[in-house]
Amino acid sequence: MTNLLICRDHLDFVLYDMLDSVSLTQRERYADHSRETFDAAINAAQRLASQHFAPHNRLSDENEPEFDGQAVKTLPAVGEAVRAFAKGGFLAATHDYELGGMQLPITISQSCLALFRAANVGTSAYCFLTAANANLIRAFGTLEQKKRFLPSLLEGRWLGTMALTESDAGSSVPDLRSTATPLSDGRYSIKGQKIFISAGDHDISENIVHLVLARIAGAPPGARGLSLFIVPKFRVDDEGRVGESNDVALAGLIHKMGYRGTTSTMLSFGENDGCIGELIGEPGQGLRCMFTMMNEARIGVGMGATMLAYTGYRHALAYAKERRQGRLPGANDPHSPQVPIVEHADVRRMLLTQKAYAEGALSLCLVAARLADDEANHPDADERAEAALLLPLLIPVVKSWPARFGLATNDLAIQVHGGYGYTREYPVEQFYRDNRLNALHEGTHGIQAMDLLNRKVGMHNGQALERLHQRVMRTIEAAKASGNPKFAEHAVALNLSWQQLRETTRVLLDAIAQSPREGCANAAYYLDLFGHNVVAWIWLWQAQVAHAQITARPDLADFYLGKIAACDWFFHTELALTLPVHQLLQATNSSALGVEIDWL
Amino acid sequence: MTNLLICRDHLDFVLYDMLDSVSLTQRERYADHSRETFDAAINAAQRLASQHFAPHNRLSDENEPEFDGQAVKTLPAVGEAVRAFAKGGFLAATHDYELGGMQLPITISQSCLALFRAANVGTSAYCFLTAANANLIRAFGTLEQKKRFLPSLLEGRWLGTMALTESDAGSSVPDLRSTATPLSDGRYSIKGQKIFISAGDHDISENIVHLVLARIAGAPPGARGLSLFIVPKFRVDDEGRVGESNDVALAGLIHKMGYRGTTSTMLSFGENDGCIGELIGEPGQGLRCMFTMMNEARIGVGMGATMLAYTGYRHALAYAKERRQGRLPGANDPHSPQVPIVEHADVRRMLLTQKAYAEGALSLCLVAARLADDEANHPDADERAEAALLLPLLIPVVKSWPARFGLATNDLAIQVHGGYGYTREYPVEQFYRDNRLNALHEGTHGIQAMDLLNRKVGMHNGQALERLHQRVMRTIEAAKASGNPKFAEHAVALNLSWQQLRETTRVLLDAIAQSPREGCANAAYYLDLFGHNVVAWIWLWQAQVAHAQITARPDLADFYLGKIAACDWFFHTELALTLPVHQLLQATNSSALGVEIDWL
């Protein structure tokens, strides 16, 4: 049977041919690892994802968690899957051996997690939130907090959440109003209402550990007044045992278009003055603690968007090879058999587009994951410093490009299925609904655009962008030197495009210096443009690696030719179509700000 | 309260300022009409739509029609709305007075129907299918058939369907397998399975009249062997009275991503050899009969997509003026109040984009409706002939451009709402799900693209395109002569763009002459490009009319300035970004057909 979650050849190609992940095993932290242990982890993830996550993906879309007056009820399969995930060690995939972890590189752990996302993004969220929660406690908790909370979280007996958002503080988190009043024992009385808390209440685990952003009484308004608190649903004693209720009440369930398997809640903390939280990290450092985890969280969002796109593409491809409909132009004999729709030019185009988006996005995410590994433990200090520059620059792209073009991929998967694609008998409509979330959470598309243009490209005096440009230039030089006329042609196009991108960036940064509001008004276009330039680079990189591999692996020739074809298509179509965006952005009068509100 | 269904100023603007609809009253058929009667009909539609359609739009999304073992149950509100629509005379809006009709021009009736679509697209479908069914019987039925079926249909006591599609004959209708075997009395025994039959079964009306496409025993395969049959759910005697069951069985309900209020069915005809149909029209002319109605049906799809976009925009605009979040760049005092999000440049951009798409689409649809009126009864024979050329050319654009860019509009409406937009507490996510259907039904986007490129632009030796070009040139000349430098600048851009479009068309038609498959491989890009050129023309037309009105109606100055601003934006952004598409299309090697199936 076709593996509908991912093309393993593609994953192997990125991990081993492009990124040479085996070289990671030369680092001390990964010395016990090898290609075999990496593959074993990915195989285990694929098995668990297929057996425990994929089978109830539609079921949990159709049966949202419900409050029955006592508790929020989820499908039994969701809890079983979460426990299987924990038992498989994936909650602690990157953690130290002594914490029960697998000590895997982020590149490999993200590859494992990709399988779960492809199989069931809704159930996966419980796991990923818990892992993120545990990572934060590991990074900022006291020894005693780690002892009390980490084992239960990493074993999946307790699950975790991130509780930032309030109804009037969404994109503007620093405006939140939850308060923390010091108690005599050093702990805090927490009061406030949170909204959109994913996995905020359920019947899966013994306890739920909320990480709550709140303001200590007397702290200043805005971001620097925010602190972070561990607030369990049931109190946890000194020995880490679950005790009485901690006055965290479900105020309501939120019903969503997609991602329905993940319950989204409104939570009320301290309605009866009985909600106790403990500070984690320093007072006033709450947002900083959260943001430390942000890079990995945003790679996770990009990966989620990517895998929904990827599995949608796999489904559309399988369908297009089977479904027969119509005949080729010119073949009008009604007695002749209908052809598989993959023979129709427009269907072929839609599949190629999906391939270019989905595989481009996956490579992009794994390149970012590798930068996270390099930042953490590359043996060369210069390389660590470079990764520390490149990763934050790429993060808005990694988060946003797959969200946007992954959704476009899912849209095309529906279109390939025709009317059937619009029905709930086929999974592609769910992928589309699920994926629509990704341009909204963890910073909307607009916020990512501001982050890229208003912070990242100019930071360290443009150093990060300069380093990225150097990497792109190395790929361009290799393509020029390859002797392959197609690659040389793409190299010229990419070089021109990156020169324009730098000029456009310069013009916009000048405009921002004059007026941030005007200068950033078209930031969303800039983000998409930047993303296409990054992905074009990644496609040229992939095509060269594929070309080099063909003679070594003739059994995979079709696969490699597909890579080269997708690269050609991305350059001739997607990159070529971005050219006028530079003019649009460089024009100072092109923004919507000249339009009065009353004209709308 | 803001009218969230439509901006009446915009509707008035298109109907009276752009299209001078009052001039229609000089035609004999509309002699009893006046601006007052037109407005009265639109007001009545708005009242009915607000009172009977809008209130249960979410409810019927959440409570899909269900089969309870006996019948398909719909919400009582759906039936009440359909009866109110019929009682209001809208089923027969364009019909003759003697048939109980209002004898309204199509332009005005489509404007009325637009309100119902905006309020509740799911419930509206029952009405529109019945109207289309009745129109077909009126056009092709015998006197006796009209007498037996039309009154009950036009009064809404019976509802109608169109039953074309079969599971293996969707986009390829001519491959359908349903059969019609002649009986001794001149009627036919119908056998076959149909799928995706909207409104195919329900408890709303006394009877359901299916128009079924089937092949008479012995008829040739393919399109020319198809005939059309009236097949009621319950038999209808000579006096038009409802009798026994006609062996039409529900084989299953189809569950969709959106448009959930309209039940979609699999129907089994003649399982027990007891299904009797009567031929309508000539044998072998079934598809031709259906296609006679196609232009109006496709205007209807475009209108549906447009109105979902339009009401979504209205909702997003109202939300953006109310919702406060964040502060302007530079204003970082956390004590200062948060600003309405419409103040944020990116939100303003998203709203302006929605305005340009939604209002552009509505004008486009009404321009097409006016062409339908002109084709039917313009007093000047040359004008009738020109309308008969222009309308079929524009139909693929009218059907597809609003489907594609209307969906993009709904996507932006969600984005303006942030995380709230993804929840089912706000209506924008439903508009988005509902609208996704429109690129699929009544001919997919790909099929419309083939229709435009492979049939329409070349038909009558390119005459239709030539006439359209002349109309565009008249708008361009007026803009040049206006003395307004902005309009003159747009005129130059539009002229250049249309010259390129004609050249691109010529290149593609040459390529099709060589190889239809290769030549049409990028047809989908061509359709979008063509659509943008048409809508740019319509925006320049609108802007000029708006400019001319400002002095006459200073009270509407903001409205007119908004029109001009949206035109500027459409030219500077949307039209400008299409330029490289011409090169893409003119390149002969740019299609996906060079990619082997095994490479995907």
Side-chain angles (χ1 to χ4, degrees):
Chain A
M1 202 191 102
T2 319
N3 175 358
L4 292 174
L5 300 182
I6 203 168
C7 167
R8 277 297 289 271
D9 287 339
H10 175 70
L11 189 57
D12 288 349
F13 173 83
V14 182
L15 288 180
Y16 302 117
D17 298 337
M18 276 180 80
L19 296 177
D20 186 17
S21 299
V22 174
S23 69
L24 290 165
T25 61
Q26 289 159 17
R27 301 184 190 175
E28 196 187 325
R29 181 169 177 82
Y30 310 126
D32 291 345
H33 280 295
S34 61
R35 165 132 189 195
E36 285 65 37
T37 64
F38 290 168
D39 284 347
I42 296 169
N43 290 339
Q46 184 165 323
R47 204 166 45 242
L48 284 182
S50 304
Q51 286 174 3
H52 292 281
F53 282 69
H56 69 279
N57 190 42
R58 172 61 73 178
L59 203 67
S60 62
D61 178 67
E62 286 174 348
N63 298 275
E64 285 174 297
E66 275 185 12
F67 184 63
D68 67 0
Q70 301 286 322
V72 177
K73 293 285 178 197
T74 57
L75 290 178
V78 176
E80 285 159 25
V82 171
R83 283 185 286 277
F85 184 93
K87 203 171 156 214
F90 290 103
L91 279 174
T94 59
H95 285 240
D96 297 352
Y97 293 135
E98 52 259 42
L99 273 168
M102 291 199 258
Q103 223 160 294
L104 282 171
I106 295 168
T107 321
I108 304 299
S109 95
Q110 283 291 351
S111 301
C112 294
L113 303 188
L115 278 305
F116 296 99
R117 299 184 197 275
N120 189 327
V121 84
T123 296
S124 299
Y126 295 94
C127 305
F128 297 149
L129 284 163
T130 301
N133 184 297
N135 283 344
L136 215 147
I137 293 176
R138 180 182 59 161
F140 297 103
T142 62
L143 260 179
E144 188 266 343
Q145 284 171 334
K146 291 189 214 181
K147 216 184 89 208
R148 280 163 61 228
F149 290 98
L150 275 188
S152 300
L153 284 166
L154 293 178
E155 288 163 25
R157 286 187 292 111
W158 303 351
L159 299 183
T161 79
M162 300 287 184
L164 291 74
T165 304
E166 299 179 6
S167 61
D168 289 326
S171 288
S172 181
V173 168
D175 284 292
L176 64 80
R177 295 182 193 171
S178 291
T179 57
T181 309
L183 299 172
S184 54
D185 62 359
R187 297 185 299 169
Y188 293 80
S189 168
I190 307 291
K191 271 183 103 72
Q193 293 261 351
K194 296 285 178 180
I195 193 171
F196 295 130
I197 307 309
S198 295
D201 205 1
H202 51 72
D203 57 356
I204 300 173
S205 58
E206 294 166 30
N207 205 355
I208 302 174
V209 180
H210 305 289
L211 288 175
V212 177
L213 218 47
R215 202 178 308 277
I216 297 175
R224 66 200 179 90
L226 298 180
S227 305
L228 192 63
F229 299 87
I230 305 178
V231 186
K233 178 177 177 183
F234 298 104
R235 292 186 187 163
V236 174
D237 73 10
D238 293 348
E239 314 302 317
R241 283 176 306 219
V242 173
E244 63 189 328
S245 163
N246 192 29
D247 194 16
V248 180
L250 179 75
L253 290 178
I254 298 158
H255 300 97
K256 307 186 294 300
M257 173 162 70
Y259 245 98
R260 294 189 180 190
T262 311
T263 185
S264 181
T265 60
M266 288 178 277
L267 295 179
S268 186
F269 293 88
E271 253 178 15
N272 306 305
D273 299 323
C275 180
I276 296 176
E278 42 193 286
L279 184 70
I280 174 168
E282 297 299 309
Q285 296 288 307
L287 261 192
R288 207 186 62 80
C289 293
M290 280 284 180
F291 273 93
T292 310
M293 297 294 133
M294 204 58 98
N295 284 349
E296 216 168 322
R298 287 179 174 171
I299 294 176
V301 172
M303 221 16 144
T306 297
M307 295 315 298
L308 284 166
Y310 209 111
T311 189
Y313 165 53
R314 306 281 297 164
H315 280 83
L317 179 59
Y319 182 82
K321 289 177 178 174
E322 269 180 23
R323 168 76 174 167
R324 290 175 171 271
Q325 194 72 184
R327 290 166 191 81
L328 300 187
N332 292 325
D333 175 8
H335 291 285
S336 66
Q338 300 194 68
V339 299
I341 59 172
V342 69
E343 296 289 350
H344 294 303
D346 191 51
V347 173
R348 193 87 59 96
R349 175 190 68 80
M350 292 193 278
L351 291 167
L352 183 59
T353 308
Q354 289 173 71
K355 178 183 172 72
Y357 287 164
E359 293 184 0
L362 184 53
S363 301
L364 168 70
C365 291
L366 289 175
V367 164
R370 173 58 172 268
L371 286 171
D373 280 322
D374 288 349
E375 181 184 5
N377 50 35
H378 196 290
D380 182 316
D382 285 347
E383 293 283 344
R384 286 200 299 280
E386 176 160 310
L389 277 172
L390 288 175
L391 183 60
L393 174 64
L394 284 178
I395 282 296
V397 175
V398 170
K399 193 273 173 185
S400 298
W401 198 89
R404 187 166 169 78
F405 295 95
L407 187 69
T409 306
N410 290 133
D411 181 71
L412 290 171
I414 291 176
Q415 201 67 19
V416 167
H417 282 74
Y420 289 101
Y422 193 66
T423 72
R424 308 204 302 273
E425 332 291 321
Y426 286 81
V428 286
E429 68 86 27
Q430 186 186 343
F431 300 147
Y432 179 70
R433 282 188 289 110
D434 288 350
N435 217 350
R436 184 62 187 84
L437 179 62
N438 288 310
L440 294 164
H441 68 164
E442 287 289 337
T444 63
H445 206 73
I447 283 180
Q448 300 299 325
M450 290 291 278
D451 183 43
L452 177 66
L453 180 58
N454 205 24
R455 288 187 56 224
K456 300 293 180 64
V457 291
M459 70 183 177
H460 308 298
N461 208 15
Q463 271 290 313
L465 183 57
E466 193 49 38
R467 293 293 181 95
L468 180 60
H469 182 245
Q470 285 166 9
R471 289 215 176 181
V472 173
M473 285 309 294
R474 288 207 289 277
T475 302
I476 288 171
E477 294 309 325
K480 280 184 180 162
S482 69
N484 181 319
K486 227 182 232 176
F487 294 167
E489 179 201 325
H490 297 331
V492 171
L494 191 61
N495 188 31
L496 183 71
S497 188
W498 271 84
Q499 281 178 26
Q500 286 185 297
L501 184 65
R502 294 167 88 199
E503 174 60 13
T504 297
T505 306
R506 194 192 59 72
V507 170
L508 287 173
L509 291 179
D510 283 355
I512 291 170
Q514 302 286 318
S515 156
R517 190 161 177 237
E518 286 287 349
C520 289
N522 276 329
Y525 287 102
Y526 181 79
L527 175 62
D528 290 346
L529 176 68
F530 196 99
H532 260 50
N533 276 278
V534 169
V535 174
W537 160 54
I538 282 178
W539 266 115
L540 187 55
W541 178 2
Q542 291 187 92
Q544 290 183 77
V545 174
H547 184 74
Q549 289 291 111
I550 285 184
T551 37
R553 291 290 305 271
D555 55 316
L556 288 179
D558 281 339
F559 170 80
Y560 294 126
L561 290 169
K563 285 267 168 261
I564 295 167
C567 173
D568 290 346
W569 182 86
F570 197 88
F571 271 81
H572 287 147
T573 307
E574 294 288 316
L575 188 66
L577 295 184
T578 65
L579 291 180
V581 183
H582 294 283
Q583 281 131 274
L584 173 75
L585 287 169
Q586 291 179 26
T588 49
N589 61 350
S590 68
S591 93
L593 278 178
V595 176
E596 305 282 334
I597 295 169
D598 289 340
W599 300 357
L600 291 168
Chain B
M1 202 191 99
T2 319
N3 176 359
L4 292 174
L5 300 182
I6 204 169
C7 167
R8 278 296 290 272
D9 287 338
H10 175 70
L11 188 58
D12 288 350
F13 173 83
V14 182
L15 287 180
Y16 302 118
D17 298 336
M18 274 181 81
L19 296 178
D20 186 17
S21 299
V22 174
S23 69
L24 290 166
T25 62
Q26 289 159 18
R27 300 184 190 176
E28 197 186 325
R29 181 171 177 81
Y30 311 125
D32 290 346
H33 280 294
S34 61
R35 166 133 188 193
E36 285 65 37
T37 64
F38 291 167
D39 284 348
I42 296 169
N43 290 339
Q46 183 165 324
R47 203 165 46 241
L48 284 183
S50 303
Q51 286 174 3
H52 292 282
F53 282 69
H56 69 280
N57 190 42
R58 172 60 75 178
L59 203 66
S60 61
D61 179 66
E62 285 174 348
N63 298 275
E64 285 174 295
E66 274 184 14
F67 183 64
D68 68 359
Q70 302 285 321
V72 177
K73 294 284 178 198
T74 58
L75 290 177
V78 176
E80 286 158 25
V82 171
R83 284 184 287 276
F85 184 93
K87 201 172 158 213
F90 291 103
L91 278 174
T94 59
H95 285 240
D96 298 352
Y97 293 134
E98 53 259 45
L99 272 167
M102 289 199 260
Q103 222 160 294
L104 281 172
I106 295 168
T107 321
I108 304 299
S109 95
Q110 283 292 352
S111 302
C112 295
L113 302 188
L115 278 305
F116 295 99
R117 299 184 198 273
N120 188 328
V121 83
T123 296
S124 299
Y126 294 96
C127 306
F128 297 150
L129 283 164
T130 301
N133 183 298
N135 283 345
L136 216 147
I137 292 176
R138 179 182 60 161
F140 297 103
T142 61
L143 259 179
E144 187 266 340
Q145 283 170 336
K146 290 189 214 180
K147 215 185 90 208
R148 280 163 61 228
F149 290 98
L150 274 188
S152 299
L153 284 167
L154 292 179
E155 288 165 23
R157 286 187 292 111
W158 302 351
L159 299 183
T161 78
M162 300 288 184
L164 291 75
T165 304
E166 299 179 7
S167 60
D168 290 325
S171 288
S172 182
V173 169
D175 283 293
L176 64 80
R177 294 182 194 173
S178 291
T179 59
T181 309
L183 297 172
S184 55
D185 63 358
R187 296 184 301 168
Y188 293 81
S189 169
I190 307 291
K191 270 185 105 71
Q193 293 261 352
K194 296 285 179 182
I195 194 170
F196 294 130
I197 307 310
S198 294
D201 205 1
H202 52 72
D203 57 357
I204 300 173
S205 58
E206 294 166 31
N207 205 356
I208 302 174
V209 179
H210 304 290
L211 289 174
V212 177
L213 218 46
R215 202 179 307 278
I216 297 175
R224 66 201 180 89
L226 298 180
S227 305
L228 193 62
F229 299 88
I230 304 178
V231 185
K233 179 178 177 182
F234 297 105
R235 292 185 187 165
V236 174
D237 71 11
D238 294 349
E239 314 302 317
R241 283 176 305 219
V242 173
E244 63 189 329
S245 163
N246 192 29
D247 194 16
V248 180
L250 179 74
L253 291 178
I254 297 159
H255 300 98
K256 306 185 296 301
M257 173 163 70
Y259 244 100
R260 294 189 180 189
T262 312
T263 185
S264 181
T265 59
M266 289 179 277
L267 295 179
S268 186
F269 293 88
E271 254 179 14
N272 305 304
D273 300 324
C275 179
I276 295 177
E278 42 192 284
L279 184 70
I280 174 167
E282 297 298 311
Q285 297 287 308
L287 261 192
R288 205 186 63 78
C289 293
M290 279 284 180
F291 273 93
T292 311
M293 296 295 134
M294 205 58 98
N295 283 349
E296 218 166 317
R298 288 179 173 172
I299 293 176
V301 172
M303 232 355 159
T306 296
M307 295 315 298
L308 284 167
Y310 209 111
T311 189
Y313 164 54
R314 304 284 294 167
H315 280 82
L317 179 59
Y319 183 81
K321 288 177 178 173
E322 269 180 22
R323 168 78 174 166
R324 289 175 172 271
Q325 194 71 183
R327 292 165 191 83
L328 299 187
N332 293 324
D333 175 7
H335 292 285
S336 67
Q338 300 194 67
V339 299
I341 60 172
V342 69
E343 296 288 351
H344 294 304
D346 192 49
V347 172
R348 192 86 58 98
R349 175 191 67 80
M350 292 193 278
L351 291 167
L352 182 59
T353 309
Q354 289 173 71
K355 178 183 172 76
Y357 288 164
E359 293 183 1
L362 184 53
S363 300
L364 169 70
C365 291
L366 289 174
V367 165
R370 173 56 173 269
L371 287 172
D373 280 323
D374 287 348
E375 182 184 5
N377 50 36
H378 196 290
D380 181 316
D382 286 345
E383 293 282 346
R384 286 199 299 280
E386 175 159 310
L389 276 173
L390 288 175
L391 182 59
L393 173 65
L394 285 178
I395 282 296
V397 174
V398 170
K399 193 272 173 187
S400 298
W401 198 90
R404 186 166 171 77
F405 295 95
L407 187 69
T409 306
N410 290 133
D411 181 71
L412 290 170
I414 292 176
Q415 202 66 19
V416 166
H417 282 73
Y420 289 101
Y422 194 66
T423 72
R424 307 203 305 272
E425 333 290 320
Y426 286 80
V428 287
E429 69 85 27
Q430 185 185 344
F431 300 148
Y432 180 70
R433 283 187 290 111
D434 288 350
N435 216 349
R436 183 61 187 84
L437 179 62
N438 288 311
L440 295 164
H441 68 162
E442 286 289 339
T444 63
H445 206 73
I447 283 181
Q448 301 298 326
M450 289 291 277
D451 183 43
L452 178 66
L453 180 57
N454 204 24
R455 288 187 55 224
K456 299 294 180 61
V457 291
M459 72 184 176
H460 309 298
N461 208 16
Q463 271 290 312
L465 182 57
E466 193 49 39
R467 293 293 181 96
L468 180 59
H469 183 246
Q470 286 166 11
R471 288 215 177 182
V472 173
M473 285 307 296
R474 289 208 287 276
T475 302
I476 288 172
E477 293 310 324
K480 280 184 181 164
S482 70
N484 182 319
K486 228 183 232 177
F487 294 166
E489 178 202 325
H490 297 331
V492 170
L494 191 60
N495 189 31
L496 181 70
S497 188
W498 270 85
Q499 281 178 24
Q500 287 186 295
L501 184 64
R502 293 168 89 199
E503 174 60 13
T504 297
T505 306
R506 195 192 59 69
V507 169
L508 287 173
L509 291 179
D510 284 355
I512 291 170
Q514 301 287 318
S515 156
R517 191 161 177 236
E518 285 288 348
C520 289
N522 275 330
Y525 287 103
Y526 182 79
L527 174 62
D528 290 346
L529 176 68
F530 196 100
H532 260 48
N533 276 278
V534 169
V535 175
W537 160 53
I538 282 177
W539 267 116
L540 187 54
W541 179 2
Q542 291 187 92
Q544 290 184 76
V545 174
H547 183 76
Q549 290 291 111
I550 285 183
T551 36
R553 291 289 306 271
D555 55 318
L556 288 179
D558 281 338
F559 171 79
Y560 295 126
L561 290 170
K563 285 266 167 265
I564 295 166
C567 172
D568 290 346
W569 182 86
F570 198 87
F571 272 81
H572 287 148
T573 307
E574 294 287 316
L575 188 67
L577 295 184
T578 65
L579 290 181
V581 182
H582 294 284
Q583 281 131 275
L584 174 74
L585 287 169
Q586 291 179 25
T588 50
N589 60 350
S590 68
S591 92
L593 279 178
V595 177
E596 305 281 335
I597 294 169
D598 289 339
W599 299 358
L600 291 168

